[in-house]
Amino acid sequence: MDFSCKYFKEGKCEGQKVVDGETMPLVLIPQDSNKNDLESLLLALKNNKEWFEQMIIKNSAVLLRGFQVDNPQDFNEIIETFGWEDIRYIGPAPRTHIYKRIWTANEGPLSEFIYYHHEMVLFKDHPKQLMLFCEIPPPEGGETPFVPSFRVTERMLEEFPEAVAEMEAKGLRYTFTALNDDNKGSMRGRGWKDAFGTPDPAECERRCKALGMDVEWLQDGSLKTILGPRTLTTVFDGRKGRKMWFNTIVGMHGKEFSSATMADGTEIPENVVKRCGEIIEEESIQFKWEKGDVLFFDNVALLHGRRPSLPPRRVLVATCK
């Protein structure tokens, strides 16, 4: 790697992988161990913003480690340094606003696995950058595994060329039911009032329509949303022409509150979904969180999830355009 930046040097972490010549995650540590304070980090990022953004796109994941990042306010200052436009999270995960741009990550039970996904993959206005900050590392488990999305496409084309071609041609259709009220005992327990930022059903419908969703109100007050057609894979500018597996068929297919089919209603074969899930897991990369870690994801290039964890674990999140 060409380290033209004098403020950082390349570190290592357990679980790193080299994928198609790229180190994931790229670990950046202080060049001078005596200059690991927040002020020095903010100066380094401000003076090397373009270079740092290139590293995110090149390596898909960049981990800042060994700096004195102590709390949500520090994390927010790091995010503000880049001047990226904020984007409000829309989705089923229960979250709490902490400070300015900073939210909790999914507050569902730590004992459960959060399945791999691109953040807000179903919406045209999705984050380009996803940032995570480890305030309290878990004593055991709780990793945030991630997967190079293009590798999933490559392997699915190798194993299921006909199914992939059919899904590409027809597109995908998803449904998801948002509960009437929040239920933080569920991984997908965010109620529609919180999810869409209004207690007014008519305004909620308007906002859903603006996001490209059809809606159906259920007898218990829950809101069923329908999205489609959506693409199976997507090629994004600046990512070497790679076809990203930019969908959530495994995460939503046949679940309690969701479904995923082809856009014309054709069912996706169960064996295809099952094997896709296995491929995603086989391609996963993970490391152990340390206090003060700040992780930058290229959201269009990586799927990510969360391993089950012993408490306590506190990882905060910010999403930007």
Side-chain angles (χ1 to χ4, degrees):
M1 168 165 294
D2 174 23
F3 258 81
S4 55
C5 178
K6 64 181 181 179
Y7 294 92
F8 302 103
K9 62 181 179 181
E10 187 172 359
K12 295 184 181 298
C13 70
E14 184 179 349
Q16 266 180 329
K17 290 185 181 179
V18 176
V19 181
D20 195 25
E22 299 167 4
T23 302
M24 299 183 187
L26 172 66
V27 181
L28 298 180
I29 61 176
Q31 182 70 252
D32 184 343
S33 59
N34 293 319
K35 292 186 177 180
N36 67 343
D37 57 283
L38 180 67
E39 185 177 350
S40 296
L41 174 59
L42 294 174
L43 181 63
L45 294 173
K46 181 180 179 180
N47 291 340
N48 297 275
K49 177 185 171 185
E50 184 176 339
W51 174 85
F52 194 88
E53 291 176 342
Q54 289 172 354
M55 292 300 100
I56 297 172
I57 292 176
K58 180 180 183 299
N59 295 82
S60 300
V62 177
L63 176 63
L64 292 176
R65 173 166 282 180
F67 296 93
Q68 294 176 12
V69 186
D70 296 325
N71 53 51
Q73 291 77 15
D74 294 350
F75 181 37
N76 187 76
E77 285 200 59
I78 291 170
I79 305 306
E80 295 282 3
T81 298
F82 293 94
W84 297 326
E85 187 177 349
D86 196 28
I87 184 168
R88 187 180 188 275
Y89 170 75
I90 299 172
R95 292 184 173 183
T96 301
H97 181 243
I98 300 298
Y99 177 78
K100 292 189 176 178
R101 292 176 175 235
I102 310 306
W103 294 70
T104 59
N106 192 320
E107 294 183 56
L110 289 175
S111 59
E112 295 188 32
F113 176 59
I114 297 176
Y115 195 73
Y116 299 97
H117 58 285
H118 293 274
E119 204 70 22
M120 293 170 57
V121 65
L122 299 180
F123 304 107
K124 294 177 182 178
D125 195 14
H126 51 258
K128 298 297 189 297
Q129 291 90 15
L130 172 71
M131 287 70 61
L132 298 168
F133 161 60
C134 182
E135 187 174 17
I136 302 174
E140 182 179 322
E143 298 90 350
T144 300
F146 60 92
V147 178
S149 197
F150 78 96
R151 286 290 298 137
V152 184
T153 304
E154 290 177 347
R155 293 188 58 185
M156 287 295 288
L157 282 169
E158 290 170 2
E159 296 193 28
F160 301 102
E162 293 180 359
V164 169
E166 185 178 9
M167 288 187 283
E168 289 273 41
K170 293 182 176 179
L172 302 171
R173 178 180 183 269
Y174 303 97
T175 69
F176 183 81
T177 299
L179 303 177
N180 190 28
D181 295 302
D182 291 345
N183 175 15
K184 290 189 177 180
S186 169
M187 305 302 294
R188 301 184 175 194
R190 196 180 193 199
W192 62 263
K193 302 178 189 71
D194 184 22
F196 297 103
T198 176
D200 178 20
E203 176 61 16
C204 180
E205 283 194 36
R206 189 193 70 76
R207 294 182 184 186
C208 287
K209 294 286 186 183
L211 291 166
M213 292 186 283
D214 292 322
V215 300
E216 177 185 337
W217 292 99
L218 305 182
Q219 286 187 346
D220 64 357
S222 298
L223 177 66
K224 182 178 180 180
T225 58
I226 303 102
L227 302 95
R230 294 289 188 270
T231 58
L232 181 76
T233 64
T234 307
V235 177
F236 294 95
D237 291 341
R239 275 77 175 180
K240 300 183 178 180
R242 292 167 168 167
K243 295 183 75 172
M244 304 301 182
W245 191 255
F246 206 68
N247 64 73
T248 183
I249 60 172
V250 180
M252 293 184 69
H253 182 272
K255 302 298 190 295
E256 181 182 3
F257 297 117
S258 66
S259 69
T261 65
M262 297 185 215
D264 66 355
T266 303
E267 290 293 333
I268 303 169
E270 184 69 38
N271 68 310
V272 172
V273 177
K274 182 176 184 293
R275 180 60 186 141
C276 181
E278 293 170 350
I279 288 170
I280 289 171
E281 183 58 55
E282 289 166 7
E283 294 292 331
S284 66
I285 300 167
Q286 68 181 30
F287 62 92
K288 296 286 187 183
W289 281 112
E290 294 183 5
K291 181 175 174 55
D293 281 350
V294 179
L295 180 64
F296 292 76
F297 277 157
D298 181 357
N299 184 51
V300 303
L302 297 176
L303 300 135
H304 70 279
R306 187 196 73 189
R307 300 282 186 211
S309 168
L310 290 179
R313 177 190 189 271
R314 184 170 166 89
V315 173
L316 305 180
V317 64
T319 46
C320 298
K321 294 184 179 180

